Amino acid sequence: MNKKYDVVVIGAGPAGYVAAIRCSQLGLSVACVDEWHNHQGESSLGGTCLNVGCIPSKALLESSHLFSVSQNEFSDHGITVGKAKIDVSVMMARKDKVVGDLTNGIKALLKANKVDFIHGHARLSQGKKVKVHERDGKKIVERLEAENIILAAGSSSVHLDQAPLDQKYIVDSTGALEFDAVPKRLGIIGAGAIGLELGSVWSRLGSEVVLIEAMDEFLTIADQQIARAAFRSYKNQGLDIRINARLVSAMVKGKEVQVTYEDTRGAQKVVFDKLIVAVGRKPNSDTMFGDEMELAIDERSFVHVNKHCETSVPGIYAIGDIVRGPMLAHKGSEEGMMVAERIAGQSSSINYDHIPSVIYTQPEISWVGKNEQACEAEGIPVNIGVFPMAASGRARAMGLSEGLVKIIAHKETDRVLGVHIFSVQASELIAQAVTAMELEASAEDIAMTIFAHPTLAESIHEAALAVDKRAIHIKN
Ligand code: FAD
Ligand code: NAI
């Protein structure tokens, strides 16, 4: 006998659990199936984000940041602390506790919202039927059926044949969150979000970090003025970023990893104690469908959806990393809410143009909307206002005045098209830019808004003034 629900959600990451909770809030009966398990073999909700992504990486970024501040910044304030030591096992235990508390919190939230949680591997068949298998994939523990299915199975690290993982010396991002000591020489393939964040963690703790990046420009997804400023800053911090570098091979020999890559000067060899492969993620669309299931999957294995996350089969939706768009937790969560509300008969939608991105280095990079090179490529006429953090009183008082805020506005309408920040707390600052853009603000609207002094946020005000060449604290 199949258990019947209004909605079955497959996956309890930030896309799936949010969808399940919202469905329940709207009066729908919901089951949520998730196969994630922790080292103890127990279910652990929250998907990649909570278990091996956003949260543990930020816990380690915080620990390593404090370590670095104590060594590099305290003395500027007249504070003497002596040489700091890091106990990696304590740092990891703290990270695991943060993760454990939050994943248990999701379990409690599902319970409080009367979502039936089922631990196991789900396979979807024709007729919106879901078989839930034990973790080993054989025994069926539950059979479900629903009017609506929400696929939220997430993504996994891309692996490279040239750098086969052994999860000891050559690891993916998950392995890099579990090192038991600070590697002396750390190599990272890929200078993207994961490479930069995890590279920062281990570099601050003392690793010599080399990032090997295939593209001939650094951080092509960011505004290139911001990317250039960040590149200089990371280099000063000791991150050795080698662009235009194509990996040829990575092999474990004894207790080291021997890497060969090619750049404009020819073949290069470098030896590391650990190597992280961080070259992107791919959707988990390969093991969740029964053979007879006919659902459109695109050439990059993403489940094909329209702007409302409807798949090619009516009543089946897909959200989060398993579908097109940036692989970001908040993007998946918003899609989860939208789909739940549409199932309940509402007409919700998402503005995909206003999804913020953050890279949690120090300073942080954040942005929303179009960057300068995109405007140029699309032939959009723009006015640009830039305000350097060096002119911010608050940033100066904090001793953290590296970076800039850049606002791009349409030349004729003055509407804000993009905001790009490289600054301390850029992750927090970007929220007001998202709000302004969502409310269709012009640069003039931001310029006419009163910001408290002294705050980092004043830099957004000044950048908006600079769009019209009337910033006060810089020469226009
Ligand atoms: P996931 O979180 O991957 O969850 C999918 C869930 O579905 C998993 O629990 C999986 O076990 C389960 N599942 C899959 N198939 C099945 C099946 N057949 N049956 C049952 N269960 C199944 N994003 C940010 O926005 N900010 C960050 O700071 C950030 N940092 C990151 C750091 C790292 C190191 C990594 C790896 C990622 C980071 N991300 C970050 C990306 C973020 O983690 C993802 O975008 C987000 O987790 C996607 O959510 P999701 O719900 O779509 O999928
Ligand atoms: P990414 O797409 O951000 O970066 C991968 C990098 O690897 C790219 O610069 C790419 O050019 C490079 N690359 C690809 N193949 C290569 C090769 N063979 N040799 C050398 N370089 C190569 O992917 P990443 O860092 O793995 O992160 C995956 C996703 O997780 C991100 O796209 C992002 O969506 C999410 N994430 C988000 C974070 C955040 O929001 N702060 C933090 C970490 C991850």
Side-chain angles (χ1 to χ4, degrees):
M1 260 292 272
N2 292 339
K3 268 197 189 169
K4 294 201 173 157
Y5 291 91
D6 294 327
V7 185
V8 169
V9 182
I10 300 179
Y17 82 73
V18 169
I21 289 174
R22 188 73 189 113
C23 283
S24 175
Q25 286 175 347
L26 291 161
L28 300 161
S29 62
V30 200
C32 180
V33 187
D34 188 279
E35 64 185 348
W36 200 286
H37 55 93
N38 58 20
H39 288 312
Q40 290 73 45
E42 295 154 354
S43 71
S44 184
L45 281 70
T48 304
C49 177
L50 269 72
N51 287 288
V52 294
C54 327
I55 298 301
S57 59
K58 271 67 217 179
L60 296 186
L61 278 159
E62 190 61 26
S63 299
S64 60
H65 175 62
L66 292 176
F67 181 87
S68 163
V69 167
S70 76
Q71 296 305 282
N72 303 318
E73 291 170 30
F74 274 12
S75 57
D76 294 344
H77 299 265
I79 304 169
T80 308
V81 289
K83 193 166 163 44
K85 279 206 294 203
I86 182 79
D87 185 333
V88 173
S89 65
V90 174
M91 177 177 78
M92 291 297 174
R94 173 188 175 276
K95 179 251 314 172
D96 292 342
K97 177 159 185 340
V98 172
V99 168
D101 288 350
L102 288 171
T103 55
N104 284 332
I106 304 298
K107 194 177 274 180
L109 277 175
L110 291 191
K111 201 169 167 209
N113 281 283
K114 301 192 172 36
V115 174
D116 283 352
F117 172 67
I118 301 153
H119 188 208
H121 177 78
R123 279 182 90 89
L124 175 67
S125 331
Q126 294 276 38
K128 296 178 214 158
K129 296 191 174 70
V130 176
K131 285 183 196 148
V132 183
H133 298 255
E134 261 183 351
R135 250 181 34 220
D136 66 11
K138 295 212 172 66
K139 198 175 145 203
I140 295 174
V141 289
E142 203 76 79
R143 289 171 195 271
L144 313 171
E145 198 178 326
E147 287 288 307
N148 303 279
I149 304 284
I150 303 178
L151 306 173
S155 65
S156 312
S157 303
V158 168
H159 297 167
L160 294 175
D161 291 342
Q162 304 97 307
L165 305 188
D166 66 352
Q167 292 301 7
K168 185 166 183 202
Y169 296 102
I170 306 183
V171 302
D172 57 13
S173 58
T174 301
L177 294 166
E178 301 200 330
F179 289 160
D180 54 10
V182 180
K184 187 168 178 326
R185 299 163 301 176
L186 173 63
I188 303 178
I189 310 297
I194 292 180
L196 292 169
E197 291 186 6
L198 295 182
S200 296
V201 166
W202 295 107
S203 159
R204 290 169 192 168
L205 298 176
S207 297
E208 294 158 16
V209 177
V210 176
L211 293 107
I212 295 170
E213 167 58 48
M215 300 292 277
D216 56 5
E217 272 180 352
F218 174 60
L219 216 54
T220 48
I221 50 168
D223 184 277
Q224 281 303 291
Q225 184 178 3
I226 298 281
R228 281 192 296 274
F231 187 83
R232 280 193 299 274
S233 172
Y234 299 153
K235 253 201 144 84
N236 288 338
Q237 292 171 37
L239 292 180
D240 180 353
I241 305 168
R242 304 183 186 177
I243 55 169
N244 215 347
R246 300 206 151 265
L247 178 71
V248 176
S249 66
M251 272 177 299
V252 179
K253 285 269 166 70
K255 292 185 174 177
E256 333 182 295
V257 188
Q258 298 184 352
V259 171
T260 307
Y261 67 90
E262 265 179 23
D263 63 13
T264 47
R265 294 164 302 148
Q268 311 290 334
K269 287 188 189 308
V270 54
V271 176
F272 301 113
D273 300 304
K274 299 268 187 195
L275 182 71
I276 305 171
V277 179
V279 292
R281 296 179 61 80
K282 58 177 179 7
N284 290 333
S285 58
D286 46 353
T287 63
M288 65 183 314
F289 302 118
D291 294 338
E292 78 292 6
M293 194 63 217
E294 282 176 13
L295 201 71
I297 307 281
D298 76 13
E299 66 290 352
R300 292 168 60 216
S301 304
F302 289 101
V303 175
H304 181 75
V305 288
N306 64 13
K307 66 178 181 177
H308 293 133
C309 293
E310 292 160 343
T311 69
S312 54
V313 179
I316 301 184
Y317 303 81
I319 57 174
D321 280 12
I322 202 171
V323 301
R324 82 295 172 256
M327 288 182 162
L328 296 172
H330 42 283
K331 174 261 192 187
S333 297
E334 288 303 317
E335 288 180 332
M337 287 198 264
M338 170 180 73
V339 163
E341 288 166 10
R342 293 186 74 85
I343 289 171
Q346 299 181 9
S347 55
S348 309
S349 61
I350 289 181
N351 188 347
Y352 282 95
D353 292 338
H354 295 167
I355 298 171
S357 289
V358 178
I359 298 179
Y360 294 82
T361 48
Q362 197 55 259
E364 296 172 338
I365 299 179
S366 66
W367 70 87
V368 58
K370 288 186 194 299
N371 56 40
E372 192 177 346
Q373 64 266 24
C375 291
E376 211 174 290
E378 291 171 39
I380 302 171
V382 294
N383 284 327
I384 293 177
V386 172
F387 187 76
M389 297 309 290
S392 153
R394 182 67 188 277
R396 287 275 179 162
M398 294 167 80
L400 299 169
S401 56
E402 199 179 355
L404 63 144
V405 174
K406 175 171 179 176
I407 295 186
I408 303 174
H410 196 285
K411 200 176 195 115
E412 282 131 31
T413 64
D414 194 40
R415 174 131 176 222
V416 178
L417 301 175
V419 178
H420 305 268
I421 306 177
F422 179 52
S423 158
V424 62
Q425 290 183 24
S427 55
E428 302 296 337
L429 292 174
I430 200 67
Q432 54 203 305
V434 180
T435 309
M437 287 179 66
E438 199 53 25
L439 297 174
E440 305 187 355
S442 62
E444 176 74 3
D445 289 328
I446 301 177
M448 289 171 66
T449 305
I450 302 171
F451 288 70
H453 176 76
T455 56
L456 297 171
E458 283 173 297
S459 307
I460 293 180
H461 186 225
E462 288 274 9
L465 289 165
V467 168
D468 193 31
K469 299 192 170 34
R470 57 192 176 103
I472 300 297
H473 294 92
I474 49 165
K475 190 162 171 281
N476 292 283

